[in-house]
Amino acid sequence: MQYDYLIVGAGLFGAVFAREAGKKGRKCLVVEKRNHIAGNIYTQEIHGIQVHRYGAHIFHTQDKKIWDYVNRFSEFNNFVNSPVARYRDELYNLPFNMNTFSRMWGITTPREAQEIIRGQIEELHITHPRNLEEQALSLVGRDVYEKLIKGYTEKQWGRECRELPAFIIRRLPLRFTYDNNYFNDRYQGIPVEGYTKIVERLLEGTRVLLDTDYLEHRAELDRMAEKVVYTGMIDAFYNYSLGVLEYRSLRFETEELPVENYQGNAVVNYTERQVPYTRIIEHKHFVYGKQPTTILSREYPCEWKKGDEPYYPVNSEKNDGLYEAYRARAEKEGRVIFGGRLGSYKYYDMDKVIGAALSLCEREL
């Protein structure tokens, strides 16, 4: 065997593990089925603009250890995520805050906003929400739900809100301050050189094979390493023998326009159901770009099928039970370690991916 670890997937989880294992003297081989590294945080430079090819990624964390770690590999700017929601010709700030409520109702004080929301909730008499719609209405009232939640959520999941389980929305934060910062985390920003550079630096000194599908060459690749760190889909690893886990997928339409500034913000959500995409990303605004042209990506949620890129797990009772069956099987594996969002059937923020990879390194190395 030529390697201590075969790492399946050149995304953030696999790259962090490869970096830390290399520091401990372990020899790693990384295989990646795509033609590029960095997984879904892959950024491609076009005309000086770092384009987030798989959707907007804003790094944020409360963990200083994680923040210090990622800053070893890139300089971060002070970007603050402040998305805008568009409903027809009306624009609202997100998250739901006093700017949102003032625009919606023409009020100025937190007390006025609280009274309107409380009055709308009381009128509905929802005590035991039976579905997502009733859950949302019981938390924010009718106006915020109808304009800013209903259409967006139905596009995101491809279902009517009345058909979705209530637990998908456990809470909806309402801020009664004029604060458009989407995250409450202490540390936040965008790498000025793009995320791909971070992963490149994490993988320095590690052999990487692109355009290499582990599952198609499993027998050959397994013979090359003592252990396998697998970050792909856990059900695909077992050839879907217990059943297929469900995901939601995304499709992107990207175009370049000969204007300096198209929408004035990095992310604008389109909350009306009739608009087929959920948001438009204008990539240059993540790093305060001044290029004479701009690049936009429209994001379309879609049903996932085998062969598509899985983005969001569908955490239903059925899928969670199926994952637990796969996880129990995975725990019996002697030389295979599962990790990352697909190996864990869980949506991870980037800081949590790094934290999980570092925790694995502490246990394993």
Side-chain angles (χ1 to χ4, degrees):
M1 293 186 175
Q2 303 172 46
Y3 300 94
D4 297 296
Y5 291 96
L6 170 68
I7 301 171
V8 181
L12 196 52
F13 188 96
V16 169
F17 186 88
R19 164 83 179 184
E20 298 306 310
K23 285 167 56 179
K24 296 288 187 181
R26 310 303 202 275
K27 194 173 181 182
C28 299
L29 170 65
V30 176
V31 295
E32 169 59 56
K33 68 178 181 180
R34 294 175 178 173
N35 63 1
H36 61 76
I37 61 171
N40 281 3
I41 65 170
Y42 172 67
T43 48
Q44 178 185 14
E45 184 173 330
I46 302 175
H47 303 317
I49 299 171
Q50 293 293 337
V51 177
H52 297 217
R53 279 297 183 187
Y54 300 94
H57 286 82
I58 297 95
F59 197 93
H60 59 98
T61 186
Q62 289 278 32
D63 192 327
K64 188 175 187 301
K65 176 183 174 183
I66 300 296
W67 182 244
D68 290 342
Y69 182 86
V70 76
N71 273 266
R72 297 179 202 169
F73 306 100
S74 179
E75 177 188 355
F76 279 71
N77 66 16
N78 61 345
F79 178 85
V80 171
N81 188 28
S82 303
V84 171
R86 178 170 178 171
Y87 176 78
R88 299 178 181 172
D89 290 328
E90 302 171 16
L91 295 177
Y92 297 96
N93 290 107
L94 297 177
F96 310 136
N97 65 66
M98 282 303 299
N99 288 308
T100 317
F101 308 141
S102 179
R103 174 73 176 87
M104 187 170 290
W105 299 311
I107 52 92
T108 58
T109 67
R111 180 177 179 179
E112 290 174 295
Q114 290 168 333
E115 288 177 351
I116 290 172
I117 292 170
R118 182 167 54 248
Q120 291 187 2
I121 292 173
E122 290 174 353
E123 288 175 2
L124 295 166
H125 304 292
I126 299 172
T127 55
H128 298 92
R130 297 167 295 177
N131 52 54
L132 186 148
E133 177 169 280
E134 292 186 357
Q135 174 78 347
L137 287 169
S138 69
L139 293 171
V140 299
R142 187 168 300 283
D143 289 348
V144 174
Y145 170 72
E146 292 287 348
K147 290 188 174 184
L148 302 180
I149 297 174
K150 186 178 188 297
Y152 189 94
T153 303
E154 291 178 346
K155 288 188 288 188
Q156 193 78 7
W157 293 100
R159 307 283 188 280
E160 297 288 333
C161 285
R162 290 187 296 272
E163 299 172 4
L164 292 167
F167 71 78
I168 290 179
I169 295 182
R170 291 184 173 89
R171 64 187 185 90
L172 286 169
L174 297 173
R175 293 186 190 169
F176 296 97
T177 59
Y178 289 92
D179 179 7
N180 296 326
N181 185 351
Y182 194 83
F183 301 118
N184 287 318
D185 293 329
R186 181 177 179 183
Y187 307 103
Q188 182 175 173
I190 299 284
V192 294
E193 298 174 282
Y195 288 102
T196 302
K197 282 292 183 183
I198 292 177
V199 179
E200 280 182 7
R201 289 163 183 152
L202 285 166
L203 291 173
E204 283 179 0
T206 300
R207 186 185 178 195
V208 180
L209 299 179
L210 300 178
D211 294 309
T212 303
D213 191 327
Y214 166 76
L215 296 178
E216 290 183 5
H217 305 280
R218 185 186 303 197
E220 173 189 353
L221 291 169
D222 280 351
R223 288 194 293 268
M224 298 175 70
E226 293 285 346
K227 283 190 172 184
V228 176
V229 176
Y230 180 81
T231 69
M233 296 165 58
I234 190 170
D235 53 346
F237 181 89
Y238 291 108
N239 198 28
Y240 309 103
S241 57
L242 302 179
V244 178
L245 291 167
E246 293 178 292
Y247 292 87
R248 289 290 289 169
S249 192
L250 296 172
R251 176 175 62 85
F252 298 93
E253 289 183 357
T254 299
E255 65 173 332
E256 180 180 348
L257 296 177
V259 298
E260 184 178 338
N261 185 359
Y262 175 77
Q263 64 184 15
N265 205 51
V267 179
V268 176
N269 291 355
Y270 284 74
T271 62
E272 197 178 353
R273 180 69 185 267
Q274 288 70 22
V275 178
Y277 42 85
T278 50
R279 58 183 178 173
I280 295 179
I281 303 163
E282 189 168 7
H283 301 272
K284 69 190 303 180
H285 292 311
F286 289 124
V287 291
Y288 318 116
K290 301 296 183 183
Q291 297 85 352
T293 62
T294 193
I295 297 175
L296 311 176
S297 293
R298 290 176 173 83
E299 189 173 302
Y300 297 81
C302 53
E303 293 288 345
W304 174 86
K305 59 183 183 302
K306 288 182 185 178
D308 294 341
E309 178 61 32
Y311 282 86
Y312 305 105
V314 180
N315 292 120
S316 64
E317 184 177 342
K318 170 190 169 185
N319 286 318
D320 290 349
L322 181 56
Y323 167 70
E324 285 301 318
Y326 277 119
R327 187 180 64 82
R329 189 169 175 179
E331 286 182 348
K332 299 175 183 177
E333 295 285 345
R335 61 188 295 265
V336 182
I337 304 165
F338 294 82
R341 65 185 180 90
L342 300 180
S344 305
Y345 194 63
K346 182 177 181 180
Y347 182 79
Y348 276 118
D349 287 329
M350 287 178 283
D351 65 322
K352 301 300 189 297
V353 171
I354 293 172
L358 291 176
S359 293
L360 172 61
C361 292
E362 291 178 3
R363 298 193 305 270
E364 181 67 19
L365 303 175

